C-alpha cells in the first residue's frame, strides 16, 4: 500500500510550511527576549554587588530596547483577525477643504509610504488623481507584506488636519479632511462570483507620468460593478491587461468586504463606521497650530510628536487600536 503523504495538495503544503516557519521564528524571538532579560538581570546584580553606578545608563538603555521589542511582539499576538495576514489595498480621498484637503491627502500618502518602508513592506500605486492646484484628490495603492492589513486596518476612517494653510493668502488656520479606506487583498476567493454581465468596463488615457506610451494609448481601466455601484480603476500598470487584472483584484476585495459587512458581527472589524468626510466624523486629529498634537479619538492615544507621526511613526496608534478592539 502506498504511504500517504502528509499534505496531498502542494499549495496547502506550502502554506502550512510557511505557518510552521512563522511559529518557529516567533519561538526563537521569544527565547532571544528571555535571554536578553536574563542578561540584564545579571548586569543589575553585578552593578549592585560592586556598587558600580556607571552601569546604570547601559542597563536603562537595554531595558528600553527590550521593552520596545516586547511591545512589537505583543502587537503581533493581537493580529488574530481573519484577514490580518493579508496584503492591503489603501484608498485615500480628499474631503472638504479644497486644495488644502488635496495637500493633506498627499501628506497622508507620504506618511503611509514611510510607515511601509520602515516595516519592510512593498508598495505599488494603482491609481492616482492630482489636485487642481496641488496635492492629490485621490490615490489607491497596495501594501505587500505579512500582516499589512492587520496593521493598516486601524487607519480606516476620516483624518483631520489643523494648520496654518500655505494656500491661504492671509496664512489663516484651516481645517481639512481626508478619508482612508483599507481592504484586505484576498486571493482566489471562491465565495465571490463576478458575472461579466454585471460589469461596465471603460478605458481611458492615464493621467499619470509615463511618457509617450501613456499619452498615446488608452491603457487605464475603470470597472463599474452595476449591482452594487462600486467603481474601481487602475492606470499605473504597463498594459491595459495588467490594469484590468489589478482593477478586478480591487473589485474582488471590495465585494468581499461588502459581503462580510452583511454579517453585523464583522461590520466594525472589516469596514469600521461609515462617516462623512468632513467635520465631526474624524477618527484622528493632527493639530499643527497653535500647538502640535496627534490624537486618536477612538482610543485616546495621543502624542505631541506630530512630525514623527507624519514621518510614518504610527506604531503607538496601531498598538492602541489593536488593544482597543481585542
Amino acid at each position: 500500500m502506498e504511504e500517504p503523504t502528509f499534505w496531498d495538495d502542494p499549495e496547502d503544503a506550502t502554506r502550512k510550511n510557511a505557518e510552521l516557519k512563522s511559529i518557529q521564528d516567533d519561538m526563537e524571538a521569544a527565547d532571544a527576549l528571555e535571554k536578553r532579560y536574563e542578561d540584564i538581570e545579571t548586569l543589575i546584580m553585578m552593578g549592585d554587588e560592586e556598587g558600580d553606578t556607571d552601569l546604570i545608563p547601559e542597563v536603562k538603555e537595554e531595558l528600553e530596547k527590550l521593552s520596545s521589542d516586547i511591545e512589537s511582539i505583543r502587537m503581533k499576538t493581537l493580529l488574530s483577525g481573519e484577514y490580518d495576514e493579508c496584503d492591503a489595498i489603501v484608498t485615500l480621498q480628499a474631503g472638504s477643504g479644497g486644495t488644502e484637503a488635496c495637500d493633506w491627502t498627499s501628506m497622508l500618502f507620504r506618511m503611509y509610504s514611510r510607515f511601509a518602508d520602515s516595516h519592510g513592506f512593498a508598495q505599488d500605486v494603482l491609481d492616482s488623481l492630482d489636485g487642481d492646484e496641488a496635492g492629490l484628490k485621490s490615490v489607491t495603492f497596495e501594501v505587500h507584506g505579512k500582516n499589512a492589513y492587520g496593521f493598516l486596518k486601524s487607519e480606516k476612517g476620516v483624518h483631520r488636519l489643523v494648520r496654518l494653510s500655505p494656500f491661504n493668502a492671509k496664512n489663516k488656520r484651516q481645517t481639512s479632511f481626508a478619508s482612508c479606506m483599507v481592504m484586505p487583498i484576498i486571493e482566489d476567493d471562491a465565495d465571490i462570483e463576478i458575472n461579466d454581465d454585471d460589469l461596465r468596463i471603460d478605458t481611458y488615457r492615464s493621467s499619470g507620468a509615463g511618457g509617450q506610451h501613456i499619452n498615446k494609448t488608452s491603457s487605464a481601466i475603470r470597472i463599474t460593478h452595476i449591482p452594487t455601484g462600486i467603481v474601481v480603476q487602475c492606470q499605473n500598470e504597463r498594459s491595459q491587461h495588467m490594469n484590468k487584472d489589478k482593477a478586478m483584484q480591487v473589485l474582488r476585495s471590495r465585494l468581499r468586504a461588502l459581503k462580510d459587512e452583511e454579517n453585523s458581527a464583522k461590520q466594525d472589524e472589516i469596514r469600521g463606521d461609515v462617516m462623512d468626510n468632513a467635520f465631526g466624523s474624524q477618527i484622528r486629529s493632527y493639530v499643527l497650530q497653535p500647538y502640535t498634537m496627534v490624537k486618536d479619538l477612538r482610543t485616546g492615544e495621543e502624542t505631541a510628536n506630530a512630525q514623527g507621526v507624519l514621518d510614518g511613526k504610527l506604531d503607538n496608534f496601531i498598538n492602541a487600536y489593536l488593544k482597543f478592539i481585542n
Side-chain angles (χ1 to χ4, degrees):
M1 180 180 296
E2 183 180 353
E3 185 177 350
T5 57
F6 187 67
W7 293 307
D8 293 326
D9 186 349
E11 292 186 1
D12 190 47
T14 300
R15 179 179 61 81
K16 291 183 180 296
N17 282 331
E19 291 177 356
L20 180 60
K21 178 64 165 56
S22 177
I23 292 172
Q24 290 174 336
D25 289 344
D26 289 342
M27 291 178 65
E28 290 176 3
D31 289 342
L33 288 175
E34 184 176 3
K35 178 63 168 57
R36 287 169 59 188
Y37 177 76
E38 292 173 352
D39 290 344
I40 292 174
E41 275 192 320
T42 301
L43 199 61
I44 292 174
M45 291 174 61
M46 289 174 53
D48 185 52
E49 290 175 357
E50 300 174 6
D52 187 356
T53 58
D54 291 339
L55 289 175
I56 293 177
E58 182 181 351
V59 170
K60 183 178 180 181
E61 182 181 358
E62 290 300 319
L63 279 173
E64 289 176 350
K65 290 180 180 178
L66 180 64
S67 177
S68 177
D69 290 343
I70 290 174
E71 194 66 15
S72 296
I73 289 182
R74 196 169 73 84
M75 283 178 64
K76 292 183 179 180
T77 67
L78 298 175
L79 297 172
S80 57
E82 184 176 356
Y83 309 115
D84 283 353
E85 289 191 354
C86 294
D87 296 335
I89 298 174
V90 182
T91 296
L92 302 174
Q93 181 78 43
S96 58
T99 299
E100 176 75 9
C102 291
D103 190 56
W104 173 222
T105 302
S106 67
M107 291 170 64
L108 286 175
F109 177 55
R110 175 185 177 275
M111 180 180 77
Y112 293 126
S113 297
R114 291 291 185 90
F115 171 79
D117 288 343
S118 68
H119 286 73
F121 295 151
Q123 180 178 297
D124 295 314
V125 175
L126 301 181
D127 182 72
S128 62
L129 180 62
D130 292 339
D132 293 333
E133 298 180 28
L136 294 165
K137 288 184 179 179
S138 65
V139 59
T140 297
F141 56 97
E142 293 180 336
V143 180
H144 303 279
K146 185 179 179 181
N147 295 322
Y149 175 72
F151 286 124
L152 289 171
K153 67 183 181 182
S154 65
E155 302 305 296
K156 291 176 289 188
V158 177
H159 297 249
R160 171 179 177 253
L161 173 69
V162 180
R163 67 170 178 175
L164 296 179
S165 174
F167 305 101
N168 188 304
K170 297 182 180 180
N171 200 32
K172 290 184 177 180
R173 190 171 64 171
Q174 187 166 332
T175 301
S176 52
F177 301 86
S179 66
C180 177
M181 177 185 292
V182 185
M183 297 290 173
I185 298 177
I186 306 169
E187 302 290 347
D188 301 324
D189 194 337
D191 292 338
I192 300 299
E193 296 183 3
I194 302 177
N195 298 321
D196 291 342
D197 293 340
D198 291 338
L199 303 179
R200 184 174 72 245
I201 301 177
D202 301 307
T203 61
Y204 60 99
R205 293 185 181 181
S206 172
S207 60
Q212 293 181 351
H213 170 73
I214 296 252
N215 292 330
K216 290 183 178 180
T217 62
S218 297
S219 60
I221 292 289
R222 180 185 297 110
I223 299 178
T224 303
H225 187 251
I226 298 171
T228 61
I230 292 174
V231 179
V232 298
Q233 54 192 40
C234 182
Q235 64 170 319
N236 281 30
E237 298 297 330
R238 292 180 178 272
S239 68
Q240 186 181 109
H241 177 74
M242 294 173 67
N243 278 323
K244 182 180 178 182
D245 286 347
K246 283 292 186 180
M248 288 297 294
Q249 184 181 62
V250 176
L251 176 60
R252 189 172 290 106
S253 294
R254 293 279 300 273
L255 290 174
R256 160 51 66 186
L258 186 63
K259 185 172 183 177
D260 286 338
E261 285 168 17
E262 294 172 358
N263 182 344
S264 59
K266 289 187 176 182
Q267 184 170 350
D268 289 341
E269 176 185 355
I270 300 301
R271 188 181 179 199
D273 296 333
V274 179
M275 296 180 176
D276 293 333
N277 197 357
F279 186 79
S281 58
Q282 65 271 10
I283 61 163
R284 191 179 299 153
S285 289
Y286 306 70
V287 180
L288 305 184
Q289 188 69 27
Y291 53 88
T292 58
M293 183 183 72
V294 180
K295 181 173 183 177
D296 194 292
L297 305 181
R298 300 161 301 178
T299 65
E301 181 72 17
E302 64 180 63
T303 178
N305 185 16
Q307 188 56 54
V309 175
L310 294 174
D311 285 337
K313 296 179 180 178
L314 298 171
D315 289 46
N316 288 345
F317 290 97
I318 291 172
N319 191 15
Y321 178 79
L322 291 175
K323 289 189 290 185
F324 176 70
I325 64 174
N326 281 281

